[in-house]
Amino acid sequence: MQGSIGRKLLGGALAACLVLGAGAALADEVGKVGVDWLGNDIVVEAIKDPKVEGVTCHVSYFDRGIIDRLHKGNWFEDPSDSSISCRQTGPIIIGDIDVSESGEEVFKQGISLIWKKQVVNRIYDEANETLIYLSHSRQVQNGSAKMSVTTVPLYGQNVVWSKGKPQ
């Protein structure tokens, strides 16, 4: 609970504004596990891809509690670590997705007061008929190499491309 309060006080409002303003997916918290007496938690959120119906991603991340923030300083950010797993959870209907090499941002939320974001990008691997989801953090400087990747294979699935399959 303390981690949740601290997160809301330090960056929740800003993160909500950025997520809503970007037109990206919203996350629903589906689990929270306390990991120590300092109020630190591991949070699990479900994210539905806004342009790919039938795909749900579960992202987990570390949410620092108030006591941990006071004890260690660095009050204004959570660690960059995250994990992701995406699966088909219904019929797949793919809208107008970015099929470029860098893909497109599906979700982002603030994990610091201003500059650090937790981001999920979707990349379409046309040669292997697969959607790739990459969870990582983005910072103005000193980017992090901490990332997690998952895939949703489209091969052999009854996939509907609402704007036509890319050529």
Side-chain angles (χ1 to χ4, degrees):
M1 180 154 158
Q2 289 176 339
S4 177
I5 292 169
R7 185 175 186 86
K8 287 177 185 171
L9 290 174
L10 298 174
L14 178 61
C17 290
L18 291 171
V19 169
L20 291 172
L26 296 174
D28 293 318
E29 186 176 301
V30 295
K32 182 184 279 189
V33 177
V35 295
D36 59 26
W37 66 272
L38 297 174
N40 295 317
D41 298 317
I42 296 173
V43 177
V44 180
E45 295 179 332
I47 303 165
K48 295 203 178 276
D49 188 326
K51 292 186 180 179
V52 181
E53 287 182 44
V55 172
T56 304
C57 298
H58 289 91
V59 177
S60 63
Y61 59 90
F62 192 80
D63 186 14
R64 293 176 57 217
I66 296 290
I67 295 171
D68 187 51
R69 290 174 192 277
L70 293 172
H71 180 275
K72 294 181 181 170
N74 195 4
W75 295 14
F76 302 109
E77 70 180 31
D78 284 322
S80 298
D81 300 309
S82 67
S83 178
I84 188 168
S85 180
C86 300
R87 297 291 182 266
Q88 179 178 356
T89 54
I92 296 179
I93 302 171
I94 300 175
D96 187 19
I97 65 170
D98 183 340
V99 295
S100 68
E101 187 175 272
S102 60
E104 73 185 289
E105 194 171 272
V106 174
F107 171 79
K108 76 176 171 184
Q109 69 180 350
I111 56 175
S112 76
L113 186 57
I114 299 175
W115 305 112
K116 190 173 171 184
K117 307 285 182 251
Q118 175 190 5
V119 181
V120 174
N121 287 82
R122 177 196 343 93
I123 300 168
Y124 176 55
D125 178 356
E126 185 176 6
N128 295 297
E129 293 187 65
T130 301
L131 295 173
I132 301 166
Y133 290 87
L134 171 68
S135 178
H136 61 98
S137 68
R138 182 172 50 222
Q139 300 177 51
V140 174
Q141 63 182 24
N142 299 324
S144 174
K146 297 174 182 176
M147 70 199 88
S148 183
V149 67
T150 187
T151 61
V152 177
L154 303 177
Y155 179 79
Q157 300 296 322
N158 185 17
V159 176
V160 174
W161 292 82
S162 64
K163 304 284 186 181
K165 189 173 181 179
Q167 301 301 329

